[in-house]
């Protein structure tokens, strides 16, 4: 039997944690778990905890001993110029008429995708004023009283993960993360459920919709370059990840309140994204860390940039040539951090994810078995649950 945890909203600022021994699967890349119901207890929203004046965090938020040694002051980490740094890719010349200039830009993106799996994108073509409006409208929602935000609460126990919520404890130990969020599908437009989108601020739907359209175009350009980097035709990776009709863009606005003991907690625990690509905006408060060559590297705050991760989907299709990097989020006691993550995901069941035939050779056999997107997520959760049941190192 596997013992896991989930949250179900039941009151204004509290989430109920349900525990049990009968398994059912709830699907979403950032919000997945096995739910089993035998007992319940209340845990407040993280924002409620942070604003309550507590000096120490509840034990459920304290990370295991083996993680604590690597959690350091994020502001000091972000200032450091020592060691490797997350690459910055200037996309200005991606479509230059000069072939040599265009190829150099594309080669830099492919190199970063293979060596890092994460990068800062600058001159990406999405207007700065639109990005500023996206950030302002998202922050305006989280500036609302919790009672207002609760009107948009999701119901994770029933499988409805869209809306306002708090991070699931999707491991057997029940560790929680210092984060609230708002999650919803933003593209394709005909698959959206606008009834759950915030009505306050009034321009939320307008600016988020326009950002989704422009980001979808950027995703196509990136996937085309990455296809060429594998020696494939331009549209191959995009087609294998769902194409124009089926590739989904899911936005998760992550809200990380100030934490009285940031050396004991994480905003998001270490993981890789299951998406094809993930695009991230943030409010210029540092927090993102990448596990690069066995060490945690803190991403700089690069003005007017979008952070892009390679996800598991592209790693699988490329047979490991492109890297889906492990990353996590730190918190701090001085500033609220907000990030806007958009996950470009294939459909759950329609596509079998496996290394592309053109890439597989005798010398480089397939590294991943064929699975649907849903099966890949379930596999990761099962493995994570099994790992969390192993004895802790003393």
């Amino acid at each position: 039997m596997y013992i896991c945890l989930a949250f179900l909203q039941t009151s204004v600022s509290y989430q109920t944690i349900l525990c049990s021994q009968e398994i059912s699967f709830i699907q979403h890349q950032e919000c997945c778990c096995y739910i089993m119901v035998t007992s319940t207890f209340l845990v407040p929203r993280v924002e409620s905890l942070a604003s309550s004046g507590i000096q120490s965090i509840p034990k459920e938020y304290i990370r295991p001993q083996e993680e604590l040694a690597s959690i350091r002051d994020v502001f000091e980490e972000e200032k450091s110029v020592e060691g490797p740094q997350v690459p910055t890719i200037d996309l200005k010349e991606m479509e230059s008429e000069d072939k040599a200039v265009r190829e150099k830009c594309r080669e830099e993106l492919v190199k970063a995708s293979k060596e890092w799996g994460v990068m800062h994108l600058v001159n990406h073509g999405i207007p700065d004023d639109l990005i500023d409006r996206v950030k302002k409208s998202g922050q305006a929602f989280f500036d609302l009283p919790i009672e207002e935000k609760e009107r948009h609460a999701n119901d994770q126990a029933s499988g409805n993960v869209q809306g306002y919520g708090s991070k699931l404890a999707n491991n057997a130990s029940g560790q929680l993360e210092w984060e609230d969020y708002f999650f919803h599908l933003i593209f394709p437009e005909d698959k959206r459920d606008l009834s759950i989108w915030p009505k306050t601020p009034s321009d939320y739907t307008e600016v988020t919709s326009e950002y989704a359209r422009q980001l979808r175009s950027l995703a196509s350009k990136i996937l085309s370059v990455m296809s060429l980097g594998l020696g494939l035709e331009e549209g191959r990776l995009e087609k294998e990840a769902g194409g124009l009709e089926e590739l989904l863009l899911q936005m998760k606005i992550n809200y990380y309140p100030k934490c009285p003991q940031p050396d004991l907690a994480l905003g998001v625990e270490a993981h890789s994204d299951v998406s094809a690509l993930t695009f991230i905006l943030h409010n210029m408060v540092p927090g993102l860390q990448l596990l690069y060559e066995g060490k945690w590297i803190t991403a700089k705050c690069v003005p007017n940039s979008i952070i892009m991760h390679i996800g598991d989907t592209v790693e699988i299709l490329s047979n490991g040539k492109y890297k889906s990097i492990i990353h996590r989020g730190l918190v701090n006691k001085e500033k609220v951090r907000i990030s806007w993550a958009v996950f470009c995901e294939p459909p759950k069941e329609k596509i079998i994810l496996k290394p592309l035939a053109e890439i597989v050779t005798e010398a480089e056999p397939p590294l991943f078995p064929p699975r649907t997107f849903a099966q890949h997520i379930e596999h990761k959760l099962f493995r994570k649950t099994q790992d969390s049941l192993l004895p802790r190192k003393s």
Side-chain angles (χ1 to χ4, degrees):
M1 293 295 179
Y2 310 110
I3 302 176
C4 302
L5 300 175
F7 302 147
L8 169 63
Q9 182 60 37
T10 58
S11 62
V12 168
S13 59
Y14 284 79
Q15 55 201 333
T16 301
I17 296 181
L18 307 173
C19 306
S20 161
Q21 298 177 359
E22 180 180 342
I23 300 174
S24 64
F25 182 58
I26 289 183
Q27 163 83 46
H28 182 255
Q29 114 163 23
E30 288 292 321
C31 303
C32 297
C33 68
Y34 296 97
I35 293 181
M36 305 179 275
V37 182
T38 58
S39 61
T40 65
F41 56 97
L42 290 176
V43 175
R45 295 291 187 198
V46 178
E47 182 184 358
S48 295
L49 276 176
S51 61
S52 69
I54 60 170
Q55 298 302 307
S56 58
I57 61 176
K59 63 181 181 180
E60 291 83 7
Y61 294 91
I62 298 176
R63 304 307 302 177
Q65 190 61 43
E66 58 266 28
E67 285 186 271
L68 295 181
S70 68
I71 299 176
R72 295 181 287 272
D73 182 276
V74 68
F75 296 109
E76 292 302 317
E77 291 283 300
E78 200 258 346
K79 292 176 186 174
S80 175
V81 294
E82 298 180 0
Q85 304 292 329
V86 176
T88 296
I89 306 299
D90 189 336
L91 299 183
K92 181 173 60 176
E93 308 297 351
M94 183 187 282
E95 298 176 351
S96 170
E97 294 183 3
D98 187 321
K99 182 178 179 181
V101 171
R102 183 173 68 245
E103 288 303 314
K104 184 176 184 296
C105 175
R106 293 178 175 183
E107 286 170 6
E108 289 175 352
L109 190 152
V110 168
K111 181 181 179 183
S113 299
K114 290 181 175 180
E115 295 181 359
W116 277 85
V118 64
M119 63 205 76
H120 301 282
L121 301 178
V122 297
N123 292 317
H124 40 69
I126 300 180
D128 293 343
D129 64 335
L130 174 60
I131 288 177
D132 287 342
R133 292 178 69 198
V134 169
K135 291 181 180 181
K136 287 177 181 177
S137 65
Q139 179 160 354
F141 172 76
F142 276 97
D143 285 344
L144 295 172
I146 291 182
E147 292 81 0
E148 291 292 318
K149 293 193 284 284
E150 290 295 351
R151 295 178 181 177
H152 300 275
N154 57 23
D155 183 358
Q156 297 172 28
S158 68
N160 178 19
V161 296
Q162 294 198 73
Y164 174 64
S166 298
K167 190 68 168 63
L168 291 170
N170 54 5
N171 53 53
S173 63
Q175 294 157 352
L176 307 182
E177 297 168 331
W178 197 259
E179 172 202 18
D180 298 325
Y181 66 84
F182 190 88
F183 171 79
H184 57 324
L185 186 150
I186 60 173
F187 199 89
E189 293 182 351
D190 62 351
K191 291 182 169 64
R192 303 177 304 178
D193 181 2
L194 293 178
S195 68
I196 67 167
W197 288 38
K199 303 301 185 290
T200 304
S202 59
D203 66 346
Y204 183 92
T205 296
E206 175 190 349
V207 299
T208 302
S209 297
E210 180 58 27
Y211 179 61
R213 285 190 287 269
Q214 298 208 24
L215 198 60
R216 182 64 185 85
S217 177
L218 178 61
S220 287
K221 293 176 183 178
I222 297 292
L223 288 169
S224 292
V225 172
M226 295 177 70
S227 291
L228 294 171
L230 295 172
L232 305 172
E233 60 186 32
E234 282 189 67
R236 187 64 193 283
L237 280 178
E238 182 170 33
K239 177 183 176 183
E240 296 298 330
L244 291 173
E245 299 297 323
E246 298 289 347
L247 188 67
L248 306 177
L249 270 60
Q250 315 257 25
M251 177 182 277
K252 183 164 173 275
I253 308 176
N254 303 294
Y255 184 84
Y256 307 105
K258 298 176 187 178
C259 181
Q261 293 179 298
D263 56 329
L264 299 181
L266 286 175
V268 174
E269 65 185 12
H271 68 286
S272 65
D273 290 346
V274 296
S275 59
L277 301 174
T278 302
F279 296 94
I280 303 173
L281 304 174
H282 58 82
N283 64 340
M284 297 299 286
V285 175
L288 176 64
Q289 288 194 318
L290 303 310
L291 188 61
Y292 181 74
E293 296 183 345
K295 295 182 179 179
W296 286 108
I297 307 298
T298 301
K300 303 293 185 187
C301 291
V302 178
N304 304 317
S305 70
I306 299 175
I307 297 172
M308 187 186 80
H309 289 283
I310 306 300
D312 294 353
T313 295
V314 162
E315 182 178 63
I316 291 169
L317 294 173
S318 70
N319 202 31
K321 288 182 169 58
Y322 294 132
K323 307 301 182 188
S324 180
I325 196 167
I326 301 291
H327 54 285
R328 69 181 186 182
L330 299 189
V331 292
N332 71 86
K333 63 168 61 177
E334 299 172 34
K335 297 181 179 180
V336 170
R337 182 170 185 263
I338 308 176
S339 68
W340 290 255
V342 175
F343 307 100
C344 302
E345 300 179 351
K348 295 175 186 176
E349 304 288 356
K350 291 185 178 180
I351 292 174
I352 301 297
L353 297 178
K354 61 182 180 179
L356 298 177
E358 301 95 318
I359 298 173
V360 174
T361 64
E362 279 191 36
E364 296 182 320
L367 300 176
F368 308 92
R371 291 191 179 107
T372 64
F373 185 59
Q375 288 169 337
H376 174 65
I377 296 172
E378 188 170 4
H379 168 74
K380 288 186 75 170
L381 287 170
F382 178 80
R383 186 175 59 193
K384 181 177 180 181
T385 301
Q386 294 297 87
D387 290 345
S388 66
L389 291 172
L390 295 175
R392 296 285 185 195
K393 296 179 181 179
S394 58

